[in-house]
Amino acid sequence: MAPARPYWKGYLKLSLVTCPVSMMPATSESEKVRFHTLNRKTNNRVVSRYVDAETSKEVREEDEAKGYERGENDFLVIEDEELESVALESARTIDIEMFVPRNTIEWVWLEKPHYLTPSDEVGHEAFSVIRDAMEAEKVVGISRLVIGRRERAVMLEPCGKGIVVWTLRYGDEVRKPEHYFDEIGDGDNDPKLMSLVTTLIEERSKPWNPNMVRDPVQEKLKEIIESKRKSAKKGAKPIGKGDEPAYTGNVIDLMSALKESLEKKQSGRKKS
């Protein structure tokens, strides 16, 4: 996968230390299979257009405007110039306001990662000093950044030679786990069961590999597309669903099920 082009350029600032930086998305969906909507009769693409809700006439792009609804069918038109006037300093500067211990921010607050790099050689020293100092202190920086005309709280985390900028969820977006987990048992488990499960965990433990989170649906779609490309036949038999595993019902005897799992694992080793 080719490196992404920077989609944001600005400055990283800590007190009087400033350096020019570029930011790129750390994740991509460009490899995913995407479909266009077609007219089945002509095989031409279907395009969407804006139409007036009352007259049903098509609206030209230059006549489109943003409106704020203040009442039923009553809108205030907001011009692009007015939107630009509310631009904040955080639209072009990541000013680190505070630092917090990295281990105090739980995963649920992290939303989307971005890679931050110095955009020219002049800023390398300032960038590396900020990065290495955060790494040494085991802290992350908290700042704000305008993304898509919306100011977001962000977390800056050292990552190798660079920095990862995580957008953070707002406080009202995160639900408390106690609301869901309080009714679950406290974990006064049978030591024998714990021993069996621990053995299963040890036997199935492997080093992390990105292939563990591959997308089988996308792989199957690519197979279908490739098959259709190669096939010149009309009315070829479509590729159907794979066999789905049968549901066998609830496992009543947990001890027996765990023992059976271990026995299968051991017999499989003997055969190999």
Side-chain angles (χ1 to χ4, degrees):
M1 187 183 296
R5 292 181 179 180
Y7 86 102
W8 181 91
K9 285 190 174 185
Y11 296 90
L12 176 63
K13 182 181 178 184
L14 174 59
S15 188
L16 299 178
V17 180
T18 304
C19 64
V21 289
S22 300
M23 191 169 72
M24 293 72 63
T27 60
S28 170
E29 295 190 350
S30 62
E31 301 299 313
K32 287 187 177 293
V33 175
R34 300 183 184 278
F35 298 102
H36 296 287
T37 302
L38 306 179
N39 181 341
R40 188 183 293 276
K41 292 181 179 179
T42 64
N43 214 38
N44 296 329
R45 284 183 58 186
V46 174
V47 297
S48 58
R49 292 187 173 93
Y50 287 110
V51 297
D52 190 295
E54 297 297 325
T55 67
S56 297
K57 291 183 178 180
E58 185 176 334
V59 179
R60 296 179 303 175
E61 186 176 353
E62 57 266 28
D63 292 331
E64 295 173 12
K66 292 179 174 62
Y68 175 80
E69 188 171 14
R70 58 182 175 183
E72 188 174 355
N73 295 322
D74 183 15
F75 297 90
L76 286 173
V77 175
I78 307 298
E79 302 296 342
D80 289 340
E81 294 78 10
E82 293 173 303
L83 291 172
E84 294 295 335
S85 70
V86 300
L88 303 170
E89 177 66 18
S90 53
R92 281 286 167 259
T93 302
I94 303 174
D95 190 353
I96 305 179
E97 302 163 356
M98 67 190 82
F99 297 93
V100 299
R102 174 62 184 91
N103 59 8
T104 61
I105 300 182
E106 297 180 85
W107 62 269
V108 72
W109 293 97
L110 307 181
E111 189 176 47
K112 189 173 182 180
H114 304 77
Y115 292 138
L116 192 71
T117 61
S119 57
D120 62 36
E121 291 186 8
V122 175
H124 279 216
E125 184 176 15
F127 182 91
S128 63
V129 166
I130 295 172
R131 176 202 64 208
D132 292 347
M134 286 195 294
E135 181 69 39
E137 295 297 315
K138 293 182 171 52
V139 297
V140 291
I142 302 297
S143 185
R144 306 192 74 81
L145 175 65
V146 172
I147 301 176
R149 287 183 173 171
R150 187 183 184 191
E151 190 177 57
R152 305 298 304 268
V154 295
M155 180 188 88
L156 288 82
E157 179 179 24
C159 178
K161 293 183 178 181
I163 291 173
V164 173
V165 177
W166 285 91
T167 53
L168 300 175
R169 292 186 172 90
Y170 292 104
D172 57 2
E173 294 177 335
V174 176
R175 294 174 174 172
K176 295 182 178 180
E178 305 86 62
H179 295 166
Y180 306 93
F181 300 158
D182 275 355
E183 302 301 319
I184 302 175
D186 292 332
D188 187 13
N189 298 311
D190 184 335
K192 291 181 180 179
L193 289 176
M194 282 292 292
S195 177
L196 288 170
V197 173
T198 301
T199 302
L200 275 173
I201 290 173
E202 289 173 352
E203 289 185 347
R204 297 186 179 202
S205 294
K206 297 178 180 179
W208 163 252
N209 188 312
N211 287 331
M212 293 177 180
V213 288
R214 64 185 179 83
D215 188 343
V217 173
Q218 289 290 310
E219 291 173 5
K220 190 67 176 177
L221 283 172
K222 289 177 181 177
E223 287 177 16
I224 293 172
I225 291 168
E226 188 60 29
S227 175
K228 281 183 170 287
R229 278 179 180 165
K230 291 180 178 178
S231 175
K233 274 187 180 178
K234 288 187 178 179
K237 185 180 178 181
I239 299 174
K241 293 182 179 179
D243 294 332
E244 295 183 4
Y247 177 63
T248 56
N250 293 330
V251 177
I252 298 173
D253 189 340
L254 183 57
M255 181 71 78
S256 297
L258 289 170
K259 286 181 177 178
E260 187 178 345
S261 296
L262 288 171
E263 286 169 3
K264 282 183 179 179
K265 184 80 173 179
Q266 290 167 357
S267 62
R269 283 180 177 173
K270 290 177 181 177
K271 288 180 182 178
S272 59

